[in-house]
């Protein structure tokens, strides 16, 4: 069972950023990487975007253009997932889901080629430019790109808030396990709460 709320009773500061991970057509219905729970979490992500579109950054996972591209084991990965390369699926599939694309601008996007948004991007610099020390994390997958996003944020010392009803995975078991792990083992670094709870902390400063 997922952990209960571990949110601290502290308002989200004006410099907080909503970091939404990989909510793209690539992971929508009808693809081999489809996240079956995406339709369920999208309304919660929209709620967070509505609260602060100017404080939202979307990451986008960009697959290899063709099989065999990538560094090290990523070459093997894209031989396995040849059907999900850009040549196979089309460049338009990396776009955000339509429900979210309408927030850009003022929301921003960051493209990445690996699970972590901290590797090979200017995400940290953008956050420093905003003087941000707090991240509200949504998106997918809970046990892959969201995990990499959160662990990087923890290492960098950000106050990190995971919105548990605004994240999803292709594996229900791994999703539930990660929520439990974030709420227990990472209790000093990661706060877990629902979109409604997070919204209340956000509104205090709006």
């Amino acid at each position: 069972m997922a952990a209960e709320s571990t949110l601290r009773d502290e308002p989200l500061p004006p410099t907080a950023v909503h970091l939404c991970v990989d909510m793209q057509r690539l992971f929508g219905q009808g693809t081999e990487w489809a996240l079956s729970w995406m339709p369920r979490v999208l309304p919660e992500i929209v709620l967070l975007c509505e609260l602060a579109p100017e404080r939202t950054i979307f990451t986008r996972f960009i697959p290899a253009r063709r099989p065999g591209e990538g560094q090290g084991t990523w070459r093997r990965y894209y031989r396995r997932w040849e059907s999900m390369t850009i040549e196979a699926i089309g460049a338009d599939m990396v776009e955000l889901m339509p429900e979210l694309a309408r927030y850009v601008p003022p929301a921003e996007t960051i493209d990445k080629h690996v699970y972590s948004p901290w590797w090979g991007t200017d995400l940290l610099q953008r956050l420093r430019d905003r003087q941000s020390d707090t991240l509200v994390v949504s998106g997918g997958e809970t046990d892959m790109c969201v995990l990499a996003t959160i662990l990087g944020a923890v290492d960098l010392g950000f106050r990190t808030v995971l919105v548990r009803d605004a994240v999803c995975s292709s594996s229900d078991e791994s999703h539930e396990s990660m929520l439990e792990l974030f709420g227990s083992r990472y209790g000093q670094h990661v706060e877990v709460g629902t979109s409604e709870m997070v919204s209340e902390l956000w509104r205090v400063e709006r």
Side-chain angles (χ1 to χ4, degrees):
M1 181 179 295
E4 296 298 322
S5 171
T6 57
L7 282 175
R8 292 173 172 81
D9 187 20
E10 303 171 11
L12 295 175
T15 55
V17 166
H18 170 212
L19 189 58
C20 180
V21 180
D22 302 358
M23 285 287 99
Q24 301 162 251
R25 295 178 59 194
L26 191 65
F27 303 105
Q29 293 181 342
T31 78
E32 290 192 63
W33 286 351
L35 301 176
S36 59
W37 281 56
M38 184 188 282
R40 188 173 298 189
V41 305
L42 268 174
E44 308 305 325
I45 297 175
V46 166
L47 171 63
L48 297 170
C49 294
E50 285 287 342
L51 288 170
E54 75 284 359
R55 294 199 232 166
T56 296
I57 297 177
F58 296 103
T59 69
R60 303 192 310 174
F61 182 79
I62 310 298
R65 179 154 297 278
R66 57 184 62 88
E69 289 187 350
Q71 181 176 344
T73 58
W74 285 102
R75 294 192 189 95
R76 180 174 63 202
Y77 183 85
Y78 285 113
R79 285 195 293 268
R80 162 63 180 87
W81 290 110
E82 177 179 354
S83 62
M84 296 303 294
T85 58
I86 296 295
E87 281 189 345
I89 61 171
D92 60 328
M93 292 298 285
V94 307
E95 299 298 335
L96 296 173
M97 295 298 288
E99 296 92 331
L100 304 177
R102 62 194 179 97
Y103 293 103
V104 183
E108 302 175 10
T109 60
I110 284 182
D111 291 345
K112 61 192 179 73
H113 297 276
V114 294
Y115 297 147
S116 173
W118 307 103
W119 181 265
T121 76
D122 64 347
L123 174 58
L124 182 57
Q125 187 58 55
R126 294 198 203 188
L127 295 172
R128 284 175 172 165
D129 289 344
R130 293 168 176 255
Q131 298 182 314
S132 177
D133 62 1
T134 301
L135 297 179
V136 174
V137 180
S138 67
E141 296 188 51
T142 316
D143 49 340
M144 298 184 77
C145 291
V146 169
L147 171 62
T149 299
I150 287 179
L151 291 182
V154 165
D155 284 344
L156 290 163
F158 285 92
R159 179 187 177 189
T160 305
V161 178
L162 176 67
V163 189
R164 70 184 186 204
D165 55 349
V167 293
C168 59
S169 173
S170 56
S171 168
D172 290 349
E173 182 179 0
S174 294
H175 169 80
E176 293 295 331
S177 295
M178 286 311 309
L179 292 182
E180 180 64 30
L181 190 68
F182 286 135
S184 56
R185 289 283 287 171
Y186 293 96
Q188 296 303 312
H189 295 285
V190 180
E191 301 168 51
V192 180
T194 66
S195 58
E196 182 178 0
M197 296 171 182
V198 171
S199 296
E200 288 304 314
L201 292 181
W202 203 291
R203 289 192 184 100
V204 171
E205 291 291 340
R206 297 296 289 170

